[in-house]
């Protein structure tokens, strides 16, 4: 079964608007972590934000925030005030268990920011 | 701190040839991971090391694949008898030891893009 599901293959957003990228996950572990990475056309994976399963508050990093809904097993990324440089592929990923940090990735969502 | 580096960045090879990729992690990181990413997909885990010990291998890692990290620093990934299905981006990542601050965060290298003709 897919551990990470990203249902939006591509999205367009107007510059300065906010965009929400969906991510649902599947795990039976109590301890897990959720990540979002950005991959521009140049190919490097850039870490954006992390949410641990025991964190009570939603994670925020600058213009990025993670909307963590544990009961629904969702971890959506919100990018506020979109910029042209935000155009990229975005991946949701998960680590499971204690001490095991290998990541399972979703298929990604392509975001295109329009001027 | 120069980040994670990978060499080469691009490799074109003919089917049946052997190829070897190198990854240099961030110097103080003791965990090193290899992932494979095919076009339009997310990365898939291949294997990881803690220091020089290879702790886990994915079922994706067939017998033609072997990875080493002989001194707990750089790592190599070798593919023998390459097939066209091996064409992909091979990504390396590193992280600090579990229990240390931000140990969950993996820093990725730029990747090696392999094309098998």
């Amino acid at each position: 079964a897919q551990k990470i599901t990203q249902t939006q293959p591509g999205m367009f957003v107007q510059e300065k608007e906010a965009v929400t990228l969906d991510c649902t996950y599947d795990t039976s572990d109590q301890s897990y972590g959720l990540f979002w990475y950005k991959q521009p056309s140049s190919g490097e994976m850039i870490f954006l934000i992390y949410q641990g399963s025991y964190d009570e508050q939603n994670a925020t990093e600058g213009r990025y925030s993670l909307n963590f809904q544990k009961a629904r097993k969702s971890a959506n990324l919100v990018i506020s005030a979109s910029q042209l440089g935000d155009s990229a592929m975005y991946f949701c990923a998960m680590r499971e268990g204690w001490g095991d940090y290998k990541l399972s990735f979703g298929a990604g969502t392509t975001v295109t920011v329009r001027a | 701190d120069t980040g994670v580096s990978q060499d080469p960045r691009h490799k074109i090879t003919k089917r049946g040839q052997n190829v070897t990729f190198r990854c240099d992690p961030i110097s103080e990181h003791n965990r090193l991971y290899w992932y494979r990413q095919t076009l339009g997909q997310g990365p898939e885990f291949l294997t990881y090391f803690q220091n020089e010990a290879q702790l886990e291998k994915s079922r994706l890692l067939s017998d033609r694949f072997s990875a080493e990290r002989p001194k707990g620093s750089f790592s190599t990934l070798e593919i023998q008898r390459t097939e066209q299905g091996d064409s992909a981006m091979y990504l390396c990542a590193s992280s600090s030891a579990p229990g240390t601050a931000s140990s969950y965060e993996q820093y990725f290298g730029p990747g090696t893009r392999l094309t098998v003709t």
Side-chain angles (χ1 to χ4, degrees):
Chain A
Q2 279 288 99
K3 293 193 178 201
I4 296 287
T5 302
Q6 294 181 254
T7 56
Q8 307 151 308
M11 296 187 72
F12 291 93
V13 60
Q14 208 61 34
E15 200 177 6
K16 300 179 186 176
E17 305 256 315
V19 61
T20 299
L21 308 184
D22 295 341
C23 172
T24 57
Y25 60 92
D26 183 26
T27 181
S28 56
D29 278 307
Q30 296 301 307
S31 172
Y32 55 89
L34 297 152
F35 302 75
W36 279 92
Y37 281 86
K38 172 184 178 181
Q39 189 176 44
S41 55
S42 51
E44 75 273 27
M45 297 285 284
I46 302 167
F47 168 77
L48 296 178
I49 196 166
Y50 171 78
Q51 178 88 38
S53 59
Y54 294 113
D55 295 340
E56 295 186 351
Q57 303 237 348
N58 285 344
T60 59
E61 289 285 350
R63 295 186 299 110
Y64 304 107
S65 59
L66 198 152
N67 184 2
F68 181 47
Q69 297 189 43
K70 199 168 182 175
R72 296 181 60 190
K73 293 191 172 179
S74 75
N76 298 340
L77 177 71
V78 180
I79 306 173
S80 62
S82 296
Q83 302 172 355
L84 295 177
D86 293 335
S87 294
M89 190 79 154
Y90 288 80
F91 291 99
C92 181
M94 177 174 65
R95 63 145 190 91
E96 297 173 270
W98 292 102
D100 184 354
Y101 294 165
K102 68 177 186 290
L103 298 177
S104 301
F105 284 84
T109 296
T110 301
V111 172
T112 304
V113 180
R114 290 169 161 159
Chain B
D1 182 0
T2 57
V4 179
S5 61
Q6 292 186 247
D7 185 67
R9 296 290 307 277
H10 303 274
K11 178 73 177 177
I12 300 174
T13 191
K14 292 187 176 179
R15 189 165 50 113
Q17 298 292 304
N18 298 344
V19 294
T20 300
F21 310 140
R22 175 177 170 128
C23 171
D24 286 88
I26 293 171
S27 57
E28 62 267 26
H29 285 179
N30 73 344
R31 284 206 170 184
L32 186 149
Y33 304 79
W34 285 99
Y35 294 85
R36 180 173 69 187
Q37 185 179 21
T38 52
L39 206 58
Q41 298 298 315
E44 296 172 297
F45 168 76
L46 293 178
T47 187
Y48 87 93
F49 293 83
Q50 179 158 306
N51 299 314
E52 63 275 8
Q54 187 172 19
L55 295 188
E56 187 173 343
K57 293 194 290 186
S58 161
R59 288 171 297 171
L60 293 175
L61 215 63
S62 76
D63 291 345
R64 297 184 297 104
F65 288 70
S66 63
E68 293 184 341
R69 194 181 182 198
K71 296 182 180 178
S73 56
F74 72 92
S75 175
T76 58
L77 178 68
E78 181 182 16
I79 309 174
Q80 296 183 325
R81 305 181 303 281
T82 52
E83 301 172 358
Q84 287 187 320
D86 297 331
S87 295
M89 175 80 89
Y90 290 84
L91 293 164
C92 175
S94 70
S95 67
S96 54
T100 57
S102 299
S103 59
Y104 52 79
E105 186 176 334
Q106 293 185 22
Y107 294 82
F108 281 81
T112 294
R113 183 168 296 284
L114 173 66
T115 303
V116 182
T117 62

